[in-house]
Amino acid sequence: MRAAVIVFPGSNCDRDMKVALEQAGADVHMVWHKDADLPKGVDLVAVPGGFSFGDYLRCGAIAAQSPICQAVVRHAEVGGYVLGVCNGFQVLTETGLLPGALMRNSGLKFVSKTIDLTVETENSVFTSGYRLGDTLRIPVAHHDGNYVADASLAARLVDEDRVAFRYSAPLNGSVDNIAGVLSENRRVLGMMPHPERAIDALHGGTDGQAMFRALVEATVAA
């Protein structure tokens, strides 16, 4: 499986993402935000966490206008896989690849800790390595992770089984405790928690490993 990790000024989880994907068996290419094209044959694009462009204007808003994001949108439109984590989730909502918005945490404070995360669907490549209802221990680190969606959108996400993860307890004000959502074709996932920081027991846990293994296995099999 070939993967591309996008790097913006202010990205700080790009290397973590690269290591997680390589550990699972992927061939990973780092791609600078000013590049206009993705490497040929890429199966997955990962948009990592951090503070792209210093979170100026609005988290992810400037990054979404970078040349590479046009290529990421094209990749998604033809059925390619895209994973956005934390700031990457914010970028994907700003590009329109995922619905809703990420706003300031309801407590108005940066949240940085390991939390319980509940798997809400098995019906995606990203979550196929887990069982419905599994509780994962995954780190979070965000100031603008409050997922906002009106009642109609929130209901549609539930009806279409597109809520991938929920916080097991209220964390940042997100509607319905939503922590991750899928696109209509289920090939784009945005999530605020950091699975790439949960791949090594020496770093606190390995609950993120199954996501990256499932991604690699699915794309290799295809």
Side-chain angles (χ1 to χ4, degrees):
M1 188 260 265
R2 300 192 76 199
V5 176
I6 309 302
V7 183
F8 300 101
S11 295
N12 64 11
C13 299
D14 43 320
R15 183 181 180 279
D16 296 336
M17 185 66 75
K18 180 176 187 288
V19 169
L21 286 163
E22 286 181 337
Q23 185 185 88
D27 175 23
V28 183
H29 302 262
M30 308 300 280
V31 180
W32 185 234
H33 72 112
K34 287 190 175 181
D35 291 349
D37 297 298
L38 295 166
K40 292 186 182 300
V42 162
D43 303 293
L44 168 74
V45 178
V47 188
F51 304 90
S52 59
F53 295 93
D55 282 347
Y56 291 120
L57 180 61
R58 194 172 56 247
C59 296
I62 298 176
Q65 304 305 312
S66 293
I68 196 59
C69 278
Q70 297 177 31
V72 174
V73 170
R74 291 194 298 269
H75 175 78
E77 288 176 342
V78 297
Y81 292 103
V82 181
L83 170 63
V85 173
C86 200
N87 187 229
F89 187 7
Q90 296 161 346
V91 172
L92 295 184
T93 61
E94 291 289 342
T95 62
L97 287 177
L98 290 173
L102 283 307
M103 304 295 288
R104 187 68 47 86
N105 294 342
S106 58
L108 304 182
K109 292 184 178 179
F110 192 91
V111 179
S112 180
K113 60 183 179 179
T114 299
I115 54 94
D116 287 343
L117 192 67
T118 304
V119 178
E120 295 292 333
T121 182
E122 299 175 32
N123 187 21
S124 78
V125 168
F126 305 96
T127 58
S128 61
Y130 306 107
R131 293 184 179 180
L132 180 66
D134 277 356
T135 298
L136 315 178
R137 294 285 289 165
I138 304 288
V140 297
H142 58 252
H143 195 243
D144 296 71
N146 180 357
Y147 184 72
V148 176
D150 62 25
S152 174
L153 173 57
R156 180 158 59 89
L157 291 173
V158 172
D159 289 344
E160 297 175 359
D161 190 33
R162 290 169 55 194
V163 177
F165 301 102
R166 280 192 172 93
Y167 302 110
S168 300
L171 178 73
N172 52 26
S174 292
V175 62
D176 294 338
N177 291 326
I178 291 174
V181 298
L182 294 157
S183 61
E184 290 186 5
N185 70 357
R186 316 187 75 77
R187 288 177 172 245
V188 180
L189 170 67
M191 60 186 296
M192 288 308 297
H194 288 268
E196 79 283 5
R197 294 184 182 178
I199 62 163
D200 190 328
L202 294 177
H203 293 167
T206 60
D207 284 354
Q209 285 182 349
M211 177 181 295
F212 298 103
R213 285 199 302 263
L215 278 167
V216 170
E217 289 169 4
T219 51
V220 168

